[in-house]
Amino acid sequence: IYKDTVFGLFYVDCLTKPYAFSKDELAIFSVIAAEAAIGFDNARSHEELSRRVVERKALERFLSGAIVEKILANPDQIHLGGENQTATILFADIRGFTRMSEKMDPHQVVELLNEYFSEMTDLIFDNGGTLDKYLGDGIMALFGAPIAHVDDVARAVRTAVEMQRALAQLNRDWEARGQQSLRAGIGVNTGQVTAGNIGSSRRMDYTVIGDTVNLASRLCANAAGGQVLVSESTFQELEGAFPARKLDPLLVKGKEIPVELYEIQWSESAAPPPGAPASA
């Protein structure tokens, strides 16, 4: 017994005579049992610590450190089973990268992408978003899952603008080093998604699926380099926090009726637009 927990039973017997053990010997047995209980408790604590380290490392692949701390401190508020919820999805994709990479050394391609992804991922985390996955030279990010904020839509659009500004700075650095510059198109959409651990028993990832995700991907595919396109649902939630202009409706794959869309107006200035939310 240790810390009011019974770990097991310590059984000693003598088959040749009754009352074979003295009080001193019984006391020794009690000490041995107590030491065993402490050993079991330490082993259990180490196992729990190891499990939490593994969980933390897994979460830190997709979430900022602050969000990871919040999840580990209050795991009950996170529902990792499939559930329907509102989220804002951001897709970013480099324009013409496949064609450009064919003319580059493989080492240069990896180095360029790593520098780009590092900068973009930091911005997603800084604004309280979740990195869903890298898609070749693209990025999918979530805002509102698994942790929701009242301003998730604004956070997503702010991230998109900051990503374009960061890429403009990266291009200046790359051009100064004689490297190829990049252009990225970004699409953002808000709506109902199904969120949860999806995959097989051997490999599962937390992600979101649904028509909302598909439309965000279509918007990204139609965004020119340097553009940030948002859907009608995203634009309405912004309530004028970011300057935008309405574009002609777009007929996208999977939709019978053209969708309304807007282009977020941004500049390379680091100053956020009036009313833009603060970072997480």
Side-chain angles (χ1 to χ4, degrees):
I1 300 173
Y2 182 65
K3 295 181 179 177
D4 297 325
T5 299
V6 177
F7 288 93
L9 299 176
F10 186 87
Y11 181 81
V12 181
D13 199 358
C14 178
L15 302 180
T16 59
K17 63 177 181 178
Y19 307 105
F21 305 114
S22 67
K23 290 184 178 180
D24 290 340
E25 289 171 330
L26 292 175
I28 292 174
F29 296 152
S30 296
V31 171
I32 294 173
E35 289 292 336
I38 293 173
F40 283 128
D41 184 70
N42 288 339
R44 188 175 65 176
S45 297
H46 283 300
E47 182 179 348
E48 175 68 14
L49 181 60
S50 297
R51 184 183 63 80
R52 290 180 67 85
V53 168
V54 171
E55 288 179 350
R56 184 184 184 90
K57 287 183 177 179
L59 289 170
E60 285 179 340
R61 292 171 54 202
F62 309 101
L63 304 167
S64 67
I67 298 297
V68 171
E69 289 289 352
K70 187 173 182 179
I71 290 175
L72 294 178
N74 302 284
D76 292 341
Q77 71 177 188
I78 306 301
H79 305 287
L80 293 180
E83 63 177 7
N84 294 327
Q85 63 186 92
T86 300
T88 299
I89 316 302
L90 180 155
F91 279 92
D93 190 70
I94 299 173
R95 296 292 168 251
F97 187 79
T98 301
R99 185 174 60 255
M100 183 183 73
S101 63
E102 292 175 350
K103 304 175 183 178
M104 299 171 62
D105 181 90
H107 176 74
Q108 290 179 310
V109 173
V110 172
E111 190 176 76
L112 192 68
L113 279 178
N114 284 343
E115 191 170 356
Y116 168 75
F117 282 144
S118 294
E119 191 78 21
M120 301 302 119
T121 302
D122 284 346
L123 293 174
I124 293 169
F125 288 172
D126 288 347
N127 285 288
T130 300
L131 172 65
D132 186 286
K133 60 178 69 74
Y134 297 123
L135 302 161
D137 58 307
I139 298 174
M140 175 181 171
L142 320 174
F143 294 81
I147 294 288
H149 306 89
V150 294
D151 59 344
D152 280 316
V153 177
R155 287 169 182 262
V157 175
R158 177 184 177 88
T159 301
V161 170
E162 290 179 350
M163 290 170 77
Q164 293 290 14
R165 288 177 179 150
L167 182 55
Q169 180 59 54
L170 283 173
N171 281 331
R172 287 191 288 270
D173 296 340
W174 288 332
E175 289 167 0
R177 303 199 305 253
Q179 291 180 249
Q180 181 73 43
S181 61
L182 302 177
R183 300 273 284 171
I186 300 177
V188 182
N189 184 34
T190 304
Q192 283 288 303
V193 298
T194 300
N197 280 323
I198 297 174
S200 71
S201 58
R202 299 184 65 179
R203 169 66 188 272
M204 287 188 292
D205 285 320
Y206 182 82
T207 189
V208 295
I209 58 174
D211 185 63
T212 297
V213 181
N214 297 336
L215 180 54
S217 178
R218 301 283 185 265
L219 294 181
C220 176
N222 283 276
Q227 266 192 322
V228 176
L229 298 183
V230 303
S231 65
E232 174 76 17
S233 59
T234 298
F235 174 77
Q236 294 298 334
E237 290 288 336
L238 291 174
E239 298 181 340
F242 294 82
R245 70 183 181 97
K246 185 175 176 59
L247 302 180
D248 293 333
L250 178 68
L251 184 61
V252 300
K253 183 179 179 181
K255 296 284 187 181
E256 296 182 359
I257 302 175
V259 299
E260 303 290 335
L261 76 160
Y262 298 80
E263 179 183 5
I264 300 298
Q265 304 290 283
W266 65 275
S267 68
E268 293 187 18
S269 169
S279 297

